[in-house]
Amino acid sequence: MKTSKKILIMTGDAGESFEILYATHRLREAGYTPVIASPSVRKLNLVMHDFEPGWDTYVERKGYLVESEISFNDVIVEDYIAVLIPGGRAPEYLRNDSTVIKIVQKFWEADKFIFAICHGVQILVTAGLVNQKKIACYEHVRFEVESCGGIYVISDEAVKDDKIVTGKTWQSHPEFYRIVFDCLRTIKNKLGNAEASIAL
Protein backbone atom coordinates (compact mmCIF):
# COMPACT_ATOMS: atom_id res chain seq x y z
CA MET A 1 0.00 0.00 0.00
CA LYS A 2 1.66 3.21 -1.18
CA THR A 3 0.74 6.46 0.53
CA SER A 4 -0.34 9.15 -1.95
CA LYS A 5 1.13 12.59 -1.39
CA LYS A 6 -0.64 14.28 -4.27
CA ILE A 7 -2.66 17.43 -3.67
CA LEU A 8 -4.97 18.79 -6.35
CA ILE A 9 -4.86 22.54 -7.04
CA MET A 10 -7.87 23.79 -9.01
CA THR A 11 -7.56 27.04 -10.94
CA GLY A 12 -7.69 28.62 -14.40
CA ASP A 13 -6.94 31.84 -16.24
CA ALA A 14 -6.87 34.82 -13.85
CA GLY A 15 -5.92 32.66 -10.88
CA GLU A 16 -3.94 34.67 -8.31
CA SER A 17 -0.20 34.31 -9.02
CA PHE A 18 1.07 34.48 -5.47
CA GLU A 19 -1.55 32.11 -4.08
CA ILE A 20 -0.85 29.48 -6.75
CA LEU A 21 2.93 29.73 -6.80
CA TYR A 22 3.23 29.89 -3.02
CA ALA A 23 1.06 26.78 -2.73
CA THR A 24 3.01 24.76 -5.28
CA HIS A 25 6.41 25.76 -3.90
CA ARG A 26 5.49 25.30 -0.25
CA LEU A 27 3.91 21.90 -0.85
CA ARG A 28 6.90 20.66 -2.86
CA GLU A 29 9.25 21.88 -0.14
CA ALA A 30 7.32 19.77 2.35
CA GLY A 31 7.53 16.66 0.18
CA TYR A 32 4.05 16.72 -1.37
CA THR A 33 3.18 16.63 -5.08
CA PRO A 34 0.93 19.52 -6.13
CA VAL A 35 -1.01 18.87 -9.34
CA ILE A 36 -2.52 21.89 -11.09
CA ALA A 37 -5.87 21.20 -12.74
CA SER A 38 -7.68 23.57 -15.10
CA PRO A 39 -10.39 23.40 -17.79
CA SER A 40 -7.79 22.13 -20.28
CA VAL A 41 -4.07 21.31 -20.11
CA ARG A 42 -2.18 24.42 -21.21
CA LYS A 43 -0.36 27.54 -20.02
CA LEU A 44 -2.56 29.58 -17.72
CA ASN A 45 -2.48 33.38 -17.54
CA LEU A 46 -2.29 34.28 -13.87
CA VAL A 47 -2.93 37.69 -12.32
CA MET A 48 -1.75 39.70 -9.33
CA HIS A 49 -4.28 41.33 -7.03
CA ASP A 50 -3.09 44.18 -4.85
CA PHE A 51 -4.28 47.42 -3.30
CA GLU A 52 -3.42 50.95 -4.42
CA PRO A 53 -4.01 54.27 -2.63
CA GLY A 54 -7.12 55.98 -3.95
CA TRP A 55 -8.84 52.73 -5.04
CA ASP A 56 -11.91 51.41 -3.22
CA THR A 57 -11.18 47.84 -4.31
CA TYR A 58 -8.20 45.78 -5.45
CA VAL A 59 -6.37 46.32 -8.72
CA GLU A 60 -5.50 43.50 -11.09
CA ARG A 61 -2.26 43.20 -13.04
CA LYS A 62 -0.98 40.55 -15.41
CA GLY A 63 0.92 37.89 -13.50
CA TYR A 64 3.01 34.83 -14.31
CA LEU A 65 2.28 31.98 -16.68
CA VAL A 66 1.94 28.51 -15.21
CA GLU A 67 1.39 25.13 -16.87
CA SER A 68 -1.58 23.07 -15.80
CA GLU A 69 -0.97 19.32 -15.64
CA ILE A 70 -4.43 17.81 -15.87
CA SER A 71 -7.88 18.82 -17.05
CA PHE A 72 -10.85 18.79 -14.71
CA ASN A 73 -12.42 16.02 -16.78
CA ASP A 74 -9.46 13.72 -16.04
CA VAL A 75 -9.34 14.23 -12.27
CA ILE A 76 -9.73 11.06 -10.20
CA VAL A 77 -10.46 12.15 -6.64
CA GLU A 78 -9.10 8.90 -5.17
CA ASP A 79 -5.61 9.83 -6.40
CA TYR A 80 -5.36 12.83 -4.06
CA ILE A 81 -5.27 13.36 -0.33
CA ALA A 82 -6.69 16.89 -0.47
CA VAL A 83 -7.77 19.68 -2.80
CA LEU A 84 -6.68 23.32 -2.69
CA ILE A 85 -8.62 26.14 -4.36
CA PRO A 86 -6.70 29.43 -4.74
CA GLY A 87 -8.35 32.78 -5.38
CA GLY A 88 -7.99 35.40 -8.04
CA ARG A 89 -10.75 35.90 -10.59
CA ALA A 90 -10.72 32.27 -11.77
CA PRO A 91 -13.24 31.02 -9.16
CA GLU A 92 -15.75 33.58 -10.48
CA TYR A 93 -16.26 31.50 -13.63
CA LEU A 94 -15.05 28.09 -12.45
CA ARG A 95 -17.97 27.95 -10.00
CA ASN A 96 -20.23 27.70 -13.05
CA ASP A 97 -18.41 24.56 -14.24
CA SER A 98 -20.42 21.54 -13.10
CA THR A 99 -17.33 19.30 -13.28
CA VAL A 100 -15.48 21.55 -10.82
CA ILE A 101 -18.39 21.49 -8.41
CA LYS A 102 -18.73 17.70 -8.62
CA ILE A 103 -15.01 17.25 -7.93
CA VAL A 104 -15.15 19.38 -4.80
CA GLN A 105 -18.30 17.62 -3.60
CA LYS A 106 -16.59 14.24 -4.12
CA PHE A 107 -13.68 15.34 -1.92
CA TRP A 108 -16.21 16.23 0.77
CA GLU A 109 -18.09 12.94 0.41
CA ALA A 110 -14.77 11.07 0.61
CA ASP A 111 -14.01 12.83 3.92
CA LYS A 112 -10.90 14.50 2.46
CA PHE A 113 -9.60 17.94 3.33
CA ILE A 114 -10.67 20.92 1.24
CA PHE A 115 -8.50 24.04 1.40
CA ALA A 116 -9.71 27.34 -0.11
CA ILE A 117 -8.39 30.87 0.13
CA CYS A 118 -9.72 34.30 -0.82
CA HIS A 119 -12.15 34.09 -3.78
CA GLY A 120 -11.62 30.32 -3.91
CA VAL A 121 -14.39 30.13 -1.31
CA GLN A 122 -16.88 31.04 -4.07
CA ILE A 123 -16.53 27.49 -5.34
CA LEU A 124 -17.33 26.09 -1.89
CA VAL A 125 -20.43 28.28 -1.80
CA THR A 126 -21.68 26.91 -5.14
CA ALA A 127 -20.85 23.36 -4.04
CA GLY A 128 -23.13 23.80 -1.02
CA LEU A 129 -20.36 23.29 1.52
CA VAL A 130 -20.48 26.48 3.63
CA ASN A 131 -23.79 26.02 5.44
CA GLN A 132 -23.26 26.27 9.22
CA LYS A 133 -19.47 26.36 8.65
CA LYS A 134 -17.06 28.98 9.94
CA ILE A 135 -15.54 30.53 6.83
CA ALA A 136 -12.67 32.99 6.31
CA CYS A 137 -12.59 34.63 2.88
CA TYR A 138 -12.08 37.90 1.06
CA GLU A 139 -14.50 40.43 2.58
CA HIS A 140 -16.42 40.91 -0.68
CA VAL A 141 -17.34 37.22 -0.70
CA ARG A 142 -18.90 37.56 2.75
CA PHE A 143 -22.41 38.18 1.40
CA GLU A 144 -22.31 34.98 -0.68
CA VAL A 145 -21.11 32.95 2.30
CA GLU A 146 -23.72 34.31 4.69
CA SER A 147 -26.52 34.04 2.10
CA CYS A 148 -25.80 30.31 1.90
CA GLY A 149 -25.79 29.79 5.67
CA GLY A 150 -22.06 30.18 6.32
CA ILE A 151 -20.59 31.95 9.34
CA TYR A 152 -18.19 34.65 8.17
CA VAL A 153 -15.16 34.87 10.47
CA ILE A 154 -13.99 38.40 11.19
CA SER A 155 -11.20 38.08 13.74
CA ASP A 156 -9.15 35.18 12.29
CA GLU A 157 -7.10 35.20 9.08
CA ALA A 158 -7.78 31.50 8.57
CA VAL A 159 -10.04 28.92 10.14
CA LYS A 160 -10.69 25.17 10.13
CA ASP A 161 -14.21 23.78 10.42
CA ASP A 162 -14.44 20.01 10.10
CA LYS A 163 -12.55 19.07 6.89
CA ILE A 164 -12.69 22.59 5.42
CA VAL A 165 -9.88 25.12 5.87
CA THR A 166 -10.35 28.66 4.56
CA GLY A 167 -8.27 31.84 4.52
CA LYS A 168 -9.00 35.48 3.76
CA THR A 169 -6.30 36.57 1.27
CA TRP A 170 -2.69 35.87 0.33
CA GLN A 171 -1.78 38.04 3.31
CA SER A 172 -3.23 35.20 5.40
CA HIS A 173 -0.72 32.64 4.11
CA PRO A 174 1.15 32.21 7.44
CA GLU A 175 -2.04 31.39 9.37
CA PHE A 176 -3.67 29.47 6.50
CA TYR A 177 -0.71 27.18 5.80
CA ARG A 178 -0.07 26.57 9.48
CA ILE A 179 -3.53 24.97 9.61
CA VAL A 180 -3.12 23.27 6.21
CA PHE A 181 0.07 21.51 7.30
CA ASP A 182 -1.46 20.51 10.62
CA CYS A 183 -4.19 18.78 8.60
CA LEU A 184 -1.69 17.13 6.28
CA ARG A 185 0.23 15.80 9.29
CA THR A 186 -2.93 14.12 10.57
CA ILE A 187 -3.32 12.39 7.19
CA LYS A 188 0.31 11.32 7.21
CA ASN A 189 0.03 9.91 10.73
CA LYS A 190 -3.22 8.08 9.96
CA LEU A 191 -1.87 6.55 6.74
CA GLY A 192 1.41 5.68 8.43
CA ASN A 193 -0.40 3.82 11.19
CA ALA A 194 -2.57 1.99 8.64
CA GLU A 195 0.49 0.89 6.64
CA ALA A 196 2.22 -0.26 9.81
CA SER A 197 -0.82 -2.37 10.72
CA ILE A 198 -0.85 -3.98 7.26
CA ALA A 199 2.88 -4.73 7.52
CA LEU A 200 2.28 -6.55 10.79
Side-chain angles (χ1 to χ4, degrees), residues 16 36 43 54-55 70 77 91 95 114 120-121 133 140 160:
E16 216 292 324
I36 297 177
K43 283 187 178 178
W55 285 68
I70 190 172
V77 170
R95 62 182 167 174
I114 299 171
V121 169
K133 294 282 188 298
H140 292 168
K160 176 181 179 291

Side-chain angles (χ1 to χ4, degrees), residues 7 12-13 15 18 20 26 42 56 60 66 90 96-97 105 107 109 114 124-125 142 180 184 187 195:
I7 297 173
D13 281 331
F18 189 36
I20 294 164
R26 183 69 187 88
R42 61 180 180 82
D56 290 329
E60 181 175 286
V66 70
N96 297 313
D97 185 326
Q105 290 171 336
F107 271 90
E109 292 162 4
I114 299 171
L124 302 189
V125 170
R142 175 178 181 172
V180 165
L184 294 178
I187 297 172
E195 289 178 348

Side-chain angles (χ1 to χ4, degrees), residues 65-84:
L65 295 175
V66 70
E67 293 270 3
S68 64
E69 300 157 85
I70 190 172
S71 72
F72 296 138
N73 287 330
D74 293 326
V75 169
I76 299 172
V77 170
E78 292 75 17
D79 290 346
Y80 303 90
I81 58 172
V83 61
L84 190 152

